[in-house]
Amino acid sequence: MPYLGSEDVVKELKKALCNPHIQADRLRYRNVIQRVIRYMTQGLDMSGVFMEMVKASATVDIVQKKLVYLYMCTYAPLKPDLALLAINTLCKDCSDPNPMVRGLALRSMCSLRMPGVQEYIQQPILNGLRDKASYVRRVAVLGCAKMHNLHGDSEVDGALVNELYSLLRDQDPIVVVNCLRSLEEILKQEGGVVINKPIAHHLLNRMSKLDQWGQAEVLNFLLRYQPRSEEELFDILNLLDSFLKSSSPGVVMGATKLFLILAKMFPHVQTDVLVRVKGPLLAACSSESRELCFVALCHVRQILHSLPGHFSSHYKKFFCSYSEPHYIKLQKVEVLCELVNDEDVQQVLEELRGYCTDVSADFAQAAIFAIGGIARTYTDQCVQILTELLGLRQEHITTVVVQTFRDLVWLCPQCTEAVCQALPGCEENIQDSEGKQALIWLLGVHGERIPNAPYVLEDFVENVKSETFPAVKMELLTALLRLFLSRPAECQDMLGRLLYYCIEEEKDMAVRDRGLFYYRLLLVGIDEVKRILCSPKSDPTLGLLEDPAERPVNSWASDFNTLVPVYGKAHWATISKCQGAERCDPELPKTSSFAASGPLIPEENKERVQELPDSGALMLVPNRQLTADYFEKTWLSLKVAHQQVLPWRGEFHPDTLQMALQVVNIQTIAMSRAGSRPWKAYLSAQDDTGCLFLTELLLEPGNSEMQISVKQNEARTETLNSFISVLETVIGTIEEIKS
Amino acid sequence: MSASAVFILDVKGKPLISRNYKGDVAMSKIEHFMPLLVQREEEGALAPLLSHGQVHFLWIKHSNLYLVATTSKNANASLVYSFLYKTIEVFCEYFKELEEESIRDNFVIVYELLDELMDFGFPQTTDSKILQEYITQQSNKLETGKSRVPPTVTNAVSWRSEGIKYKKDEVFIDVIESVNLLVNANGSVLLSEIVGTIKLKVFLSGMPELRLGLNDRVLFELTGRSKNKSVELEDVKFHQCVRLSRFDNDRTISFIPPDGDFELMSYRLSTQVKPLIWIESVIEKFSHSRVEIMVKAKGQFKKQSVANGVEISVPVPSDADSPRFKTSVGSAKYVPERNVVIWSIKSFPGGKEYLMRAHFGLPSVEKEEVEGRPPIGVKFEIPYFTVSGIQVRYMKIIEKSGYQALPWVRYITQSGDYQLRTS
């Protein structure tokens, strides 16, 4: 086929669609329409034939109708006026004798996503809700939600909501579930669909008739229901018991979550539930679908945080298989780590030992770190395995083993001797920054027990010029100084050389400063150096590197079966943070972004903020509205009275800041859009004596600081200082809220 | 759950077809998907869940296609993946094989199906049997305009239509047990489990009531027949049609079946059984010159049974050449694209022991990259035999028209994930 630009294609298709001969031949007509859809699918702009396509919708051929309606839904937002012409046909089809046609027309009409269509779809939807075919009712029920979304944030139609609530008693299971979904969407401003006792019991009785999607959905809605009595609670749990063993993993997870939440006052019930879902969860962990397997593993890890050893007797199920994807293997290794107990430690370590020599360096390293984690409890066995691994003389293995040793020596001092014996020779197989740092640290802290420590460090000193990582140089400085204290004779000379290099030749400021610092420290006297560098040692019981303590089930029950455990809590926090910043998306109505961001300032902080102005002998006057012009003029005419930077990480919500400033009577004159870089804001405030404070906030791209410049129309230092402290407090509070 | 849109992408990440269900996530966001996937893959941090800004991508891969669901909500991941797999299942029933070509060739049906599977981001009708009643593959042919009304969509029993008629009423019952096995290089069994499924092929008229009787240990104990040979089933799962309350009460499996093929139930047994086919192997690698492989296979099941279609795949280094084989039975074949030797034995009676030797040359210049140690895999099928000893005791079929129907039962044991690690 010769290449045709989309314009030529449109022209050609237009001609074909208008050709009465083609129109008369149904097969040919449909083929032309199919071609239009094919091009549309390929991303060509086919909106040019909208008129002709609208005409083609008047047909008895249902497939042709579907294609035309699909076309209309795609291009209606681009051609709203022309789309209105199609409404007529659609309305007519909504009363077609064939329920398929009625449903199709109604669904398409509700999906037109263009302004002004609401008034046309209202009546067809209402008719659809009372249609005798359940197929049409399903479409109409969801149509209500679509219509509501088209309205934007308009008020809720009470009559419609009532109608939907009554349709919860519909014969058709999908209509029932769609009603819940639709009500949830329509009532989302008011907290979603209300699940009272009659509705809850009705839904519970219908559960077995629903398909897996419906069951999962209803289980999710039931989370909202609060049983009146203990008796009712246990009745519900009994009724839903069989769903813990459903064949659909989604339903199993949904049921588990519901049980955990309903039984939040009964820890033994929660534990019992987790015992009962062990089987289904394990089955999901070896599911044929990798993705489901991954999700199940993430949830297993979540459960293990609260019930360590919960899956211990099944540890073999978490052994990795050769062909599994990476992300599953990594999860399994993490799980294995948490399952170790006196009985299985031997087998688990043996298995992990096998992974350490895997072809994939990432996986091998993860396995080594896992062994390092187990070493906190089973130190001797693990140190032995790790020492053996050093014998392989593989770079990617040695570096991770040495890092593991470093953490281990700190947490389990009893293994120091063994580690020190294993270290000699490692330096030949370490090239990366992390590994070098770990090795140098170990040599510095425990150098007195490692005979050749000074010589290894000497090699590093010799090559310091070609060393690329500043962090390694810093570590080297500290380590050599430490070793100098325990073995002065061997180290004095090279310490001198290293200090000379760092102070005279080094280009990295941090390294140079560290060198200078140690040099000056040495000048004070060796006793002082010892006092500062060697004691007191950090306390390993601080648990900085240790795992967080066991968490109660209730701390994660509400996150169960969402994306949170799948991403991991930490990762989720960063994702939702940057989502917070993007909430100002033009697609979303402004009001909802506020409702979603929760209380702007936590109560206790609010007090703090409001107290401050009084304490600083500064009284900012409310409602002092400056015009932007006046502000600009004053700003340009004044000199900067004070400038400072405040730490500032990541994204935030400018509106939050504006609100917070308003609380302390600081007006926002102008502000950049959220997320833009550089980001600027201009603020103004006035105190009771009439003194003006004009402020500029500036966030440079890539900088983690907020620069604040304040100008004042009367030079008064004390009020200036109190104004700045108010500003600091507000910004500090916002920073706290978002992190 | 709620998906905003569903995309089918080709292997390069170009959208082949998509459907915007909710309109709350811009369709252009999909452009970020493939770069993100590639980036994560390079970092070694690939996961089936990716995020870009406020959009989450939940994706699965099927042959040369990516299926991606986008959402901006804190969705229920397992449900979204289940839905994507269901979508694939439905497409496969329509096109036999699902790949880029079949999507391109059938885009009209794909659109039709996407339209029925989900509405406004919520799964609707996903049962392919019901879908096939009103979205037919012959729709490319011209219809006379009278399209069929989907009868089942109004039914109380959502999985079976009324008015089904057969000349001969029959049910075929397949009891299939898959053996999963993982053996360490030193010969110790790490994992051995049996996953059983009972599949039905139903050709019955009307709305029949079926009742299935198994030699279930719990049932036997309930009814005081504990002396008979019985099986303890774990982790039993049923098709939606089975009345769970009755099973919980008195272990009766009663149901109105869907028409045609479906999986009635699945169960699991973790009792240790002797590995059915035991493999001993010696793989000796002489660097720069050759690889010598010796594999011994032993059938550790009853003498009366025969394993069919046995395939033992033994890994060889990727730079191996000039293969030579010697087998005591069956034939061996080198498959260079998978780096394995496949030793096929058509029939392998229980208690027998066979041997294969293979010899490969190795180039004198060794390859740079290190190779993994893939396991030896075994495939087989043993008919008329179940490892667990499960038996179908009866299948009662009652229909109001009172016809007589015959149940046929077949037992098969087959290999599942059957791996023996090599050293």
Side-chain angles (χ1 to χ4, degrees), chain A residues 263-480:
Chain A
K264 57 177 176 284
M265 311 302 283
F266 306 94
H268 64 280
V269 178
Q270 288 184 325
T271 318
D272 190 49
V273 167
L274 292 174
V275 171
R276 291 173 52 87
V277 294
K278 219 190 232 181
L281 263 179
L282 281 171
C285 286
S286 47
S287 152
E288 266 173 58
S289 142
R290 302 158 153 199
E291 292 76 16
L292 288 172
C293 174
F294 175 70
V295 172
L297 284 167
C298 292
H299 281 89
V300 164
R301 282 184 64 195
Q302 182 83 75
I303 293 172
L304 284 173
H305 281 309
S306 297
L307 302 170
H310 188 60
F311 293 91
S312 279
S313 48
H314 302 277
Y315 68 95
K316 283 183 175 169
K317 299 247 179 185
F318 300 99
F319 284 180
C320 300
S321 160
Y322 181 77
S323 49
E324 275 166 346
H326 222 66
Y327 51 82
I328 288 185
K329 286 187 184 173
L330 293 181
Q331 291 292 337
K332 283 191 169 175
V333 167
E334 294 281 336
V335 171
L336 277 176
C337 237
E338 309 210 24
L339 291 186
V340 171
N341 59 26
D342 290 349
E343 280 137 50
D344 60 29
V345 64
Q346 208 50 48
Q347 286 90 319
V348 171
L349 283 177
E350 221 166 85
E351 182 72 13
L352 286 173
R353 165 77 180 73
Y355 304 158
C356 293
T357 49
D358 196 272
V359 215
S360 151
D362 289 330
F363 181 50
Q365 294 184 336
I368 297 170
F369 278 126
I371 295 178
I374 297 173
R376 286 167 203 177
T377 334
Y378 300 95
T379 314
D380 295 341
Q381 287 133 294
C382 295
V383 170
Q384 200 194 334
I385 293 179
L386 292 170
T387 311
E388 283 165 21
L389 288 173
L390 287 177
L392 296 172
R393 303 187 158 272
Q394 297 267 335
E395 237 171 64
H396 70 276
I397 293 178
T398 308
T399 170
V400 179
V401 171
V402 171
Q403 289 170 51
T404 313
F405 277 158
R406 174 192 54 194
D407 299 345
L408 205 55
V409 162
W410 196 62
L411 289 165
C412 313
Q414 73 273 19
C415 70
T416 311
E417 200 56 52
V419 168
C420 288
Q421 278 170 15
L423 278 182
C426 291
E427 69 277 2
E428 291 162 27
N429 297 305
I430 295 185
Q431 293 301 327
D432 64 318
S433 163
E434 283 293 321
K436 279 183 187 171
Q437 286 178 55
L439 178 65
I440 293 171
W441 185 88
L442 279 167
L443 292 172
V445 175
H446 298 293
E448 76 271 27
R449 306 198 208 184
I450 306 167
N452 72 337
Y455 308 102
V456 179
L457 287 181
E458 187 159 23
D459 280 342
F460 279 108
V461 174
E462 305 266 280
N463 299 321
V464 72
K465 270 185 203 165
S466 50
E467 177 58 59
T468 42
F469 309 108
V472 173
K473 295 180 197 173
M474 304 258 259
E475 200 64 67
L476 186 58
L477 268 167
T478 314
L480 196 52

Side-chain angles (χ1 to χ4, degrees), chain A residues 26-27 30 34 37-38 40-42 60-63 66-67 70 98-100 104 107 111 113 132-135 138-139 142 145-146 149 172-174 178 181 185 208-213 215-217 242 245-251 253 279-280 283 286 288-292 294-295 316-317 319-323 326-327 330 350-351 354-355 357-359 362 561-564 566-567 571-572 575 578-579 582-583 585 587-588, chain B residues 1 14-17 19-26 29 40 43-44 46-51 53-56 58-61 71-79 81-83 85-86 104-105 107-108 111-112 115-116 119-120 122-126 134-135 139-145 147-150 153-156 158 182 184 186 189-191 193 235-238 240 244 248 268 370-375 417 419 421:
Chain A
R26 238 192 239 144
L27 192 59
R30 184 151 101 183
Q34 278 197 15
I37 302 292
R38 187 184 290 273
M40 180 183 98
T41 309
Q42 287 165 0
V60 283
D61 178 353
I62 192 156
V63 177
K66 278 185 187 172
L67 293 176
L70 177 77
N98 184 339
M100 280 296 290
L104 173 68
R107 184 164 56 218
S111 308
R113 288 193 205 106
K132 60 183 187 300
S134 62
Y135 184 77
R138 292 173 186 176
V139 172
L142 284 181
K146 293 181 192 169
N149 275 8
D172 183 76
I174 298 186
N178 279 358
R181 292 159 168 163
E185 195 76 22
S208 58
K209 291 270 186 294
L210 308 178
D211 60 6
Q212 56 162 326
W213 322 113
Q215 288 175 349
E217 200 90 57
S242 56
K245 308 222 152 165
S246 160
S247 57
S248 148
V251 175
M253 300 275 227
S286 47
E288 266 173 58
S289 142
R290 302 158 153 199
E291 292 76 16
L292 288 172
F294 175 70
V295 172
K316 283 183 175 169
K317 299 247 179 185
F319 284 180
C320 300
S321 160
Y322 181 77
S323 49
H326 222 66
Y327 51 82
L330 293 181
E350 221 166 85
E351 182 72 13
Y355 304 158
T357 49
D358 196 272
V359 215
D362 289 330
N561 201 24
T562 64
L563 296 183
V564 181
V566 187
Y567 274 117
H571 190 183
W572 175 257
I575 291 172
C578 79
Q579 284 190 358
E582 276 191 31
R583 277 212 195 101
D585 243 4
E587 288 173 32
L588 294 169
Chain B
M1 97 166 248
K14 191 174 160 290
L16 291 173
I17 211 162
R19 179 91 186 151
N20 189 357
Y21 288 110
K22 209 151 189 186
D24 60 345
V25 172
K29 294 274 182 195
R40 284 290 142 77
E43 291 167 359
L46 189 64
L49 174 60
L50 302 170
S51 73
Q54 59 186 20
V55 188
H56 306 288
L58 293 102
W59 62 278
I60 62 176
K61 200 174 177 198
T71 178
S72 59
K73 295 221 164 108
N74 189 2
N76 173 344
S78 34
L79 216 54
Y81 292 128
S82 303
F83 176 77
Y85 273 99
K86 189 78 201 178
R104 284 190 199 283
D105 294 347
F107 72 97
V108 174
Y111 272 130
E112 283 186 73
D115 208 31
E116 299 293 339
D119 192 9
F120 203 49
F122 301 112
Q124 301 290 308
T125 311
T126 55
Y134 60 102
I135 298 176
S139 61
N140 279 330
K141 294 179 198 153
L142 188 66
E143 281 163 22
T144 47
S147 77
R148 284 226 290 156
V149 185
V153 277
T154 47
N155 260 351
S158 66
L182 184 62
N184 218 346
N186 60 16
V189 176
L190 293 179
L191 186 69
E193 64 170 3
D235 220 359
V236 188
K237 286 176 186 167
F238 290 107
Q240 195 198 356
L244 291 174
D248 286 343
R268 213 166 258 272
V370 204
E371 282 185 8
R373 296 175 302 265
D417 188 14
Q419 296 190 349
R421 290 181 182 167

Side-chain angles (χ1 to χ4, degrees), chain A residues 563-725:
Chain A
L563 296 183
V564 181
V566 187
Y567 274 117
K569 207 158 190 168
H571 190 183
W572 175 257
T574 52
I575 291 172
S576 39
K577 209 194 276 177
C578 79
Q579 284 190 358
E582 276 191 31
R583 277 212 195 101
C584 265
D585 243 4
E587 288 173 32
L588 294 169
K590 270 242 158 85
T591 42
S592 73
S593 73
F594 256 117
S597 58
L600 282 169
I601 301 177
E603 282 308 313
E604 65 272 23
N605 291 346
K606 214 177 235 166
E607 275 168 33
R608 219 169 82 204
V609 174
Q610 273 165 338
E611 258 165 35
L612 265 159
D614 304 329
S615 62
L618 169 89
M619 196 61 165
L620 294 178
V621 201
N623 298 328
R624 170 67 213 189
Q625 198 66 56
L626 282 184
T627 64
D629 281 347
Y630 181 70
F631 180 90
E632 196 181 352
K633 230 182 275 167
T634 325
W635 176 263
L636 292 174
S637 67
L638 292 172
K639 280 213 181 84
V640 175
H642 179 90
Q643 204 158 29
Q644 78 173 97
V645 286
L646 287 178
W648 191 268
R649 283 170 288 110
E651 301 293 336
F652 71 107
H653 204 265
D655 294 14
T656 319
L657 182 64
Q658 184 171 358
M659 291 284 277
L661 288 166
Q662 198 119 44
V663 172
V664 293
N665 295 328
I666 300 176
Q667 230 77 47
T668 311
I669 303 291
M671 191 183 269
S672 327
R673 257 182 344 103
S676 55
R677 285 286 177 275
W679 181 90
K680 275 187 185 182
Y682 289 97
L683 319 170
S684 93
Q686 191 171 31
D687 71 3
D688 48 353
T689 65
C691 175
L692 265 181
F693 300 92
L694 306 183
T695 313
E696 182 199 57
L697 305 180
L698 174 65
L699 276 173
E700 290 279 16
N703 219 342
S704 58
E705 283 163 347
M706 179 180 280
Q707 195 179 334
I708 302 171
S709 324
V710 184
K711 298 184 180 184
Q712 208 180 6
N713 65 352
E714 295 167 49
R716 284 195 310 206
T717 352
E718 59 202 83
T719 51
L720 178 68
N721 286 342
S722 22
F723 174 75
I724 286 160
S725 76

Side-chain angles (χ1 to χ4, degrees), chain B residues 68-126:
Chain B
V68 188
T70 55
T71 178
S72 59
K73 295 221 164 108
N74 189 2
N76 173 344
S78 34
L79 216 54
V80 178
Y81 292 128
S82 303
F83 176 77
L84 292 178
Y85 273 99
K86 189 78 201 178
T87 310
I88 287 184
E89 192 189 310
V90 169
F91 286 168
C92 284
E93 298 235 349
Y94 271 87
F95 316 135
K96 297 290 164 278
E97 252 169 71
L98 178 64
E99 49 183 21
E100 198 181 322
E101 275 310 293
S102 46
I103 295 284
R104 284 190 199 283
D105 294 347
N106 297 287
F107 72 97
V108 174
I109 293 186
V110 174
Y111 272 130
E112 283 186 73
L113 288 174
L114 286 175
D115 208 31
E116 299 293 339
L117 285 168
M118 197 176 238
D119 192 9
F120 203 49
F122 301 112
Q124 301 290 308
T125 311
T126 55

